[in-house]
Amino acid sequence: MTQNIYDDPAFFDGYSRLQRSVDGLAGAAEWPAIRALMPDMKDLDVVDLGCGFGWFCRWAVGQGAASVLGLDVSEKMLERARAETADARVGYDRADLEKLQLPEATFDLVYSSLAFHYIEGFAGLLATIRQALKPGGRLIFSIEHPIYMAPRQPEWLDDAEGHRIWPLSAYQIEGPRVTNWLAEGVVKQHRTMSTTLNLLIKSGFAIAHVEEWSPSDEELVAHPDWAIERERPMFLLISTRT
């Protein structure tokens, strides 16, 4: 089963205070780049894997989606998502993405934000997603970038000249990474860039766009503290088609 760290009280409390939790999509630095990958949502049937508080679900119906199903393993996340969603076109359900079952040829778009890097059985999940998409359907998702996730000690270092350095290590050693982020013992699953892309290809997806997110010049004017994110990629954004 997927580690349900989001129902840990300490983790949930900390996560709820993050800017992306308070401000929704507008508080997620990578959202403008993901938004640019989205198709016209009008009349689409959509599923959001790891929907969290339901921000994307509500955005999708606001853009004209016919239906949106939000799935998450966290009861706390789903409770808040349901409380903040009034549109009958949006439904929520609890699901473990390691054991996900979806009806065949049902969705035009499968979306996921920062959830797949928790999944050990990624190949099986991709197979489930592939059969759940209609012909011409899309899978669009974000994960933590493998360079961000790989290090044994994922913390900035300072070199002799005072420059910030990301201590990349163990990149080719795939598997669990245990970090203390908001709570102790958060388990993520590191995969190299090539493994991720090749699994998508082998699962029958055509890769349309790959982006190693970095703030734009315009974004740095508004958020000068984001400059450090140009030293290494934090997010990997991928858009595919069937």
Side-chain angles (χ1 to χ4, degrees):
M1 180 175 178
T2 304
Q3 183 189 36
N4 186 8
I5 193 67
Y6 287 84
D7 277 349
D8 176 277
F11 188 98
F12 184 80
D13 181 65
Y15 185 84
S16 298
R17 299 172 189 270
L18 297 178
Q19 185 176 356
R20 67 177 59 237
S21 299
V22 175
D23 297 332
L25 299 180
E30 75 281 11
W31 170 246
I34 294 175
R35 172 66 183 87
L37 302 177
M38 289 294 160
D40 182 352
M41 304 297 291
K42 184 173 174 55
D43 297 329
L44 297 190
D45 295 308
V46 180
V47 61
D48 181 355
L49 304 181
C51 65
F53 294 151
W55 294 106
F56 178 81
C57 297
R58 292 187 290 275
W59 175 86
V61 294
Q63 297 294 311
S67 69
V68 183
L69 174 62
L71 300 177
D72 205 285
V73 72
S74 167
E75 292 284 9
K76 287 182 177 292
M77 291 285 190
L78 292 170
E79 181 180 5
R80 177 164 159 181
R82 292 186 180 107
E84 297 186 2
T85 304
D87 198 309
R89 291 173 294 172
V90 181
Y92 296 103
D93 205 353
R94 188 167 189 256
D96 177 359
L97 299 188
E98 295 279 13
K99 303 176 182 178
L100 183 65
Q101 295 183 354
L102 293 172
E104 186 174 352
T106 299
F107 301 102
D108 301 289
L109 171 65
V110 176
Y111 171 75
S112 183
S113 172
L114 303 178
F116 289 173
H117 53 255
Y118 293 110
I119 304 303
E120 182 177 4
F122 190 47
L125 176 59
L126 289 177
T128 298
I129 293 171
R130 179 65 180 81
Q131 63 85 35
L133 282 167
K134 300 175 185 177
R138 304 185 188 210
L139 166 63
I140 299 174
F141 67 96
S142 65
I143 57 173
E144 289 186 355
H145 196 287
I147 287 175
Y148 177 78
M149 198 189 317
R152 296 185 180 92
Q153 300 293 328
E155 297 178 359
W156 291 104
L157 302 177
D158 294 321
D159 66 12
E161 299 178 349
H163 299 137
R164 308 309 301 272
I165 297 175
W166 188 249
L168 181 60
S169 62
Y171 182 82
Q172 298 287 3
I173 304 172
E174 299 185 322
R177 296 293 191 272
V178 180
T179 62
N180 297 328
W181 177 65
L182 303 180
E184 294 186 0
V186 179
V187 181
K188 302 172 184 178
Q189 300 293 332
H190 167 64
R191 285 176 285 271
T192 65
M193 175 82 80
S194 59
T195 292
T196 297
L197 297 179
N198 285 327
L199 282 174
L200 286 163
I201 293 168
K202 290 177 182 178
S203 299
F205 293 96
I207 297 172
H209 184 85
V210 175
E211 183 166 344
E212 299 171 288
W213 180 81
S214 177
S216 66
D217 291 343
E218 294 76 15
E219 288 171 330
L220 286 182
V221 171
H223 304 278
D225 56 310
W226 289 2
I228 192 67
E229 299 303 333
R230 287 189 166 180
E231 297 296 324
R232 56 95 178 93
M234 185 175 187
F235 304 119
L236 178 63
L237 318 179
I238 299 180
S239 174
T240 73
R241 300 193 71 126
T242 58

